[in-house]
Amino acid sequence: MNMLNLWQSLSKNFSINFIHKINFEFDYTKILSEFNVMEKEFILKKHEHYENHDGGFTAISLYSEDGKAANYLKTKNIETIKTEIGKFFPYTISIVEQLKKKFGASTRRVRFMKLTKGTNIHWHYDWDECISLGNCRLHIPLIVNNESSGCISHQYYQWKPGEIWYGDFSFPHKVFNNGTSDRLHFVIDLYNPKNFLNENKLFQKEEQNRNKYKKLILFAYKLSYQLPKKILAFF
């Protein structure tokens, strides 16, 4: 068994859960079919922040700030708009709009994100990607394999096609794909949802637990992971 990092040990000891399955019916095969048609004409762009991945992390936006599919950046607190690839995705867009209505939210980035076989996304955290700061990141897995997995702090997960999951990515997380096929997720960032799991008492309790220990966990991550990396890079 691999030894846990300091921040992982803390989150495990505090029994923190970072993921929640969303109750919502849809047909993921229709989303994947629309993606396969689109991919014949458009190339996914290599994701920036190269220090966070091996080079096999690519993306293309269905909704972006400027309406361009190649733009997957978040620079403003504005509602995003459909991009030029929207013509390929009538069913997929209907799902996004239903989720917006369900949770009383607007869109931020909405992207297809691919991790090619044999590559990794390294430890990092997206400081504001959590419901407490008005952001709700939902993952819809489309292509997965048994050797591909994600991890938020100590908690490993393997989500299946046909599911929708919320994850609190304001904590340290990573993804690896050791399989023989690429991993493809459709990722929907909703902004300022008015009623996201408000009726779910367990979710509310676990959100309080996440917020209670977040500063300590991030401090441990910065001290034991980010700082040593910076020191090594200096030399």
Side-chain angles (χ1 to χ4, degrees), residues 42-63:
F42 288 84
I43 299 174
L44 277 66
K45 181 182 177 182
K46 185 169 290 188
H47 210 285
E48 296 179 2
H49 302 294
Y50 298 108
E51 70 278 6
N52 291 338
H53 64 89
D54 294 341
F57 184 26
T58 58
I60 193 167
S61 294
L62 184 56
Y63 291 63

Side-chain angles (χ1 to χ4, degrees), residues 124-216:
H124 69 287
Y125 71 99
D126 304 311
W127 71 271
D128 64 342
E129 289 300 342
C130 61
I131 197 68
S132 293
L133 294 177
N135 297 313
C136 173
R137 176 164 291 175
L138 303 179
H139 273 249
I140 298 179
L142 297 175
I143 301 175
V144 299
N145 63 70
N146 291 333
E147 299 300 321
S148 177
S149 180
C151 180
I152 305 179
S153 201
H154 73 281
Q155 187 173 28
Y156 283 83
Y157 59 85
Q158 284 186 317
W159 296 329
K160 299 177 181 178
E163 301 174 341
I164 301 183
W165 287 85
Y166 166 80
D168 189 331
F169 294 98
S170 64
F171 286 85
H173 57 279
K174 65 177 181 177
V175 182
F176 56 89
N177 184 3
N178 296 327
T180 58
S181 62
D182 296 342
R183 174 187 187 266
L184 178 67
H185 278 208
F186 181 48
V187 182
I188 304 169
D189 287 352
L190 298 180
Y191 177 58
N192 197 24
K194 306 297 189 301
N195 56 339
F196 183 72
L197 302 182
N198 292 345
E199 76 292 346
N200 189 320
K201 293 182 180 180
L202 178 60
F203 177 84
Q204 300 303 327
K205 181 179 179 180
E206 291 183 337
E207 179 67 7
Q208 291 176 359
N209 199 38
R210 288 188 287 269
N211 289 334
K212 181 178 180 180
Y213 296 111
K214 178 181 288 188
K215 288 184 179 180
L216 177 59

Side-chain angles (χ1 to χ4, degrees), residues 216-232:
L216 177 59
I217 291 170
L218 289 182
F219 175 76
Y221 169 76
K222 293 173 183 178
L223 181 66
S224 62
Y225 183 76
Q226 286 188 327
L227 182 59
K229 282 185 65 177
K230 290 181 180 180
I231 293 174
L232 288 173

